[in-house]
Amino acid sequence: TQLLEQSPQFLSIQEGENLTVYCNSSSVFSSLQWYRQEPGEGPVLLVTVVTGGEVKKLKRLTFQFGDARKDSSLHITAAQPGDTGLYLCAGLHQGAQKLVFGQGTRLTINP
Amino acid sequence: EAGVAQSPRYKIIEKRQSVAFWCNPISGHATLYWYQQILGQGPKLLIQFQNNGVVDDSQLPKDRFSAERLKGVDSTLKIQPAKLEDSAVYLCASSLVRPGGYTFGSGTRLTVV
């Protein structure tokens, strides 16, 4: 059972466009993390969101945690080829110590 | 700081053979995780250690997979005997006891033929 559903699974857009990736669940999480993974490497942490409604910005990336702490979104403005990669969301349940990962969104930015 | 070290980077074996992977976590990180990532999917937790004790191994196929973390530092993950469906990237990660985020190694890509 996939507790975290990411959409879309694949996204290919042109350089300069904007995009949003979604991470949804029926479960409440105490925190949610976003990772980016490049081919042949392990995932690298981008951000952790903890408070419902929280918004964090990392340069051209904007992360939002849903008010009910069940969902999250990642918005990229003016995408660049260097943004290409697999984006993974991962949730931590209250009282738990292990992250549950979504299946990922594979993003390709074409020059 | 040094990252999470894993070896080997790649391994090709025949089915029914055995294989072992090694992980050295970040110094001071009490918690160590082994994840399996099948192509096109997100990582799936196999086993979690805190120091040298197992916290969660509910998704570890114990008939063929085993893992240990002697002295609470390095860890090894073993598969014996391997099956074709074990082909995946095996990722090791470590974190502080109350994780703000995991640090992953580069993984070992296993191909079972």
Side-chain angles (χ1 to χ4, degrees), chain A residues 83-101:
Chain A
D83 297 327
T84 293
L86 178 68
Y87 288 81
L88 295 158
C89 67
L92 188 67
H93 288 289
Q94 190 72 35
Q97 294 189 57
K98 68 176 184 182
L99 283 179
V100 175
F101 282 83

Side-chain angles (χ1 to χ4, degrees), chain A residues 4-6 21-25 32 34 70-73 89:
Chain A
L4 279 168
E5 294 286 342
Q6 289 188 239
V21 174
Y22 299 93
C23 176
N24 296 296
S25 175
L32 195 139
W34 285 92
K70 293 182 178 181
D71 55 86
S72 181
S73 64
C89 67

Side-chain angles (χ1 to χ4, degrees), chain A residues 51-54 64-71:
Chain A
T51 306
E54 182 177 4
Q64 185 162 7
F65 201 12
D67 291 342
R69 292 186 286 136
K70 293 182 178 181
D71 55 86

